Amino acid sequence: MIATGQHLPEGLLYELPETTLGVCMTQPAALKVSELAAGKNLVIFAVPGAFTPTCSAQHLPGFIQLADAFRQRGIDEIWCISVNDAYVMQAWGLAQQNRNRVRLLADGAARWTMTLGLEQDASERGLGLRSKRYAMIVHDGVVQYLAVEAPGQFEVSRAERVLEQL
């Protein structure tokens, strides 16, 4: 599993910005993690799934609500990663009235999540391979802080707890 002090591994994440909704034949952009993270101060958090109860009621909304506070403390971008496709992530952002405050990045095949060592098998709940719930603070591609939730918990990756670490 990735640890504090390590560089984010290379990988691809996919994005469909909210502004592309309704544009015929729009394909998700494949984005290299190293290029996205270069020179930036980031907060990255992951959820087990878009539109799932805790993720939709608390996790993403907390980061949307505190986006300005994170930026005031030097964070350039907030990323939300989920093992969903980019179309689902775009629809979730619209449903959550995100308005591009948090970048919703898809890891549909869980490749980057597995490279991080933060995958979980949620097959017994009908979800298949998913990401663990976590949050990290990253400076220029290097992990400065990492908090991984215990199964079924939602404490250490809350927006308020991450903000306290800055």
Side-chain angles (χ1 to χ4, degrees):
M1 182 174 77
I2 193 159
T4 302
Q6 292 182 334
H7 282 270
L8 292 175
E10 188 53 79
L12 293 175
L13 296 171
Y14 298 84
E15 182 179 39
L16 266 174
E18 293 173 30
T19 55
T20 63
L21 183 68
V23 177
C24 188
M25 302 301 288
T26 300
Q27 293 295 313
L31 307 168
K32 288 185 176 182
V33 171
S34 60
E35 292 174 8
L36 284 180
K40 294 179 185 166
N41 295 320
L42 305 170
V43 166
I44 301 172
F45 71 100
V47 297
F51 291 105
T52 57
T54 302
C55 306
S56 291
Q58 297 177 42
H59 210 174
L60 177 58
F63 283 95
I64 291 170
Q65 291 166 3
L66 293 175
D68 290 337
F70 279 104
R71 284 176 179 74
Q72 289 170 1
R73 296 206 185 163
I75 296 300
D76 298 308
E77 292 180 356
I78 303 167
W79 299 358
C80 176
I81 311 293
S82 185
V83 179
N84 289 108
D85 65 64
Y87 298 98
V88 169
M89 296 298 280
Q90 180 192 51
W92 192 38
L94 290 165
Q96 291 286 318
Q97 299 179 11
N98 179 37
R99 296 185 182 91
N100 297 311
R101 289 178 287 224
V102 173
R103 284 188 91 164
L104 301 177
L105 300 170
D107 185 21
R111 288 187 180 116
W112 195 64
T113 297
M114 289 187 291
T115 302
L116 292 171
L118 290 168
E119 74 278 359
Q120 65 173 319
D121 185 353
S123 296
E124 72 283 351
R125 295 182 316 217
L127 298 173
L129 185 64
R130 296 295 176 130
S131 177
K132 292 181 180 178
R133 188 181 303 280
Y134 67 84
M136 61 175 79
I137 299 169
V138 177
H139 297 293
D140 195 22
V142 178
V143 178
Q144 304 297 310
Y145 170 80
L146 174 64
V148 181
E149 297 285 359
Q153 297 296 303
F154 178 57
E155 294 298 326
V156 299
S157 66
R158 289 178 178 271
E160 299 85 358
R161 292 285 295 272
V162 178
L163 189 61
E164 291 171 0
Q165 301 303 313
L166 294 173

